[in-house]
């Protein structure tokens, strides 16, 4: 028998039913596309955080094309630290791989912190440089989106369990409807990816596939 309240206990499941997890959020007419940390460290062979697939990058490129075609604002994020990592605090001490972002030259297109060319920003697109998992923590992102009149953030990026999750929770907390595109997110394993998407869908966001996201971006074209 499982302990009371454990994951196999019938009371646990019924408690979730009573809680109302999984309510629906409806995206609004003023979205922005938020692409989180689509940098070489995750997608280049031998990168410090190399993912098992480039599928998220390919899906993100399609989202980016659709957003640009529809005139939807685009925000990119990347990670950068001072040479000694002092601005990374505890996070920098916890995750040894983050040191590649301290050594990366800001203008090096082949460095680990450079955004991959498939989704590289163009003139007029916002690039948020962050030090912590959330794109909102310690940055101007919330104010920028508010100034744009944004009501919904369409989210792709890496990793699902880390910077995507943290950014989605903060987007919701700031009053934006998060629309997480499952195909455009990636993580170190399918199990971690799927588990985090399931929990985000239960509590903080709507999780959709690439086809649904492309249809939505097309629908807001002026």
């Amino acid at each position: 028998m499982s302990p009371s309240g454990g994951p196999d206990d019938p009371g646990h499941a019924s408690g979730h039913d009573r809680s109302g997890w999984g309510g629906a959020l409806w995206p609004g007419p003023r979205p922005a596309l938020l692409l989180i940390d689509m940098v070489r460290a995750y997608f280049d062979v031998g990168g410090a955080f190399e993912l098992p697939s480039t599928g998220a990058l390919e899906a993100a490129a399609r989202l980016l094309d659709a957003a640009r075609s529809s005139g939807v604002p685009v925000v990119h994020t990347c990670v950068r630290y001072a040479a000694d990592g002092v601005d990374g605090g505890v996070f920098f001490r916890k995750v040894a791989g983050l040191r590649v972002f301290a050594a990366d030259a800001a203008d090096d297109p082949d460095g680990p912190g450079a955004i991959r060319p498939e989704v590289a920003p163009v003139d007029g697109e916002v690039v948020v440089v962050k030090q912590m998992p959330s794109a909102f923590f310690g940055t101007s992102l919330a104010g920028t989106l508010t100034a744009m009149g944004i009501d919904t953030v369409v989210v792709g990026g890496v990793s699902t369990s880390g910077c995507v999750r943290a950014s989605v929770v903060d987007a919701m907390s700031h009053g934006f409807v998060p629309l997480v595109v499952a195909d455009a997110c990636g993580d170190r394993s399918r199990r971690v990816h799927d588990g985090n998407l399931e929990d985000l869908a239960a509590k903080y966001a709507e999780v959709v596939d690439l086809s649904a996201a492309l249809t939505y971006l097309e629908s807001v074209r002026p």
Side-chain angles (χ1 to χ4, degrees), residues 8-19:
D8 299 320
D9 179 53
H12 183 78
S14 63
H16 274 215
D17 291 341
R18 289 194 302 272
S19 71

Side-chain angles (χ1 to χ4, degrees), residues 105-202:
D107 58 352
D108 181 2
D110 297 318
I115 296 173
R116 281 281 301 224
E118 297 91 333
V119 291
V122 298
D123 289 346
E125 294 177 351
V126 175
V127 178
V128 172
V129 178
K130 64 188 183 68
Q131 287 77 41
M132 298 299 162
S134 172
F136 291 87
F137 188 90
T139 75
S140 61
L141 179 56
T144 299
L145 295 176
T146 298
M148 290 178 174
I150 299 302
D151 53 34
T152 304
V153 284
V154 179
V155 181
V158 292
S159 64
T160 313
S161 62
C163 297
V164 170
R165 182 187 179 96
S167 299
V168 167
V169 172
D170 277 359
M172 180 276 301
S173 300
H174 282 287
F176 306 106
V177 174
L179 200 67
V180 182
V181 186
D183 314 73
C185 298
D187 215 309
R188 62 189 182 275
S189 76
R190 189 74 193 186
R191 177 185 60 83
V192 172
H193 172 78
D194 289 345
N196 276 273
L197 288 181
E198 180 181 3
D199 200 51
L200 286 172

Side-chain angles (χ1 to χ4, degrees), residues 21-81:
W21 299 126
L25 295 171
W26 301 101
R30 296 293 303 277
L33 175 62
L34 176 60
L35 295 181
I36 298 171
D37 298 353
M38 303 297 283
V39 301
R40 289 186 175 277
Y42 286 94
F43 297 106
D44 284 4
V45 175
F49 298 101
E50 183 184 358
L51 298 176
S53 167
T54 59
L57 179 63
E58 294 156 13
R62 292 185 62 188
L63 282 177
L64 183 57
D65 286 345
R68 288 170 175 167
S69 294
S70 292
V72 169
V74 179
V75 178
H76 307 259
T77 79
C78 61
V79 181
R80 190 173 302 141
Y81 297 105

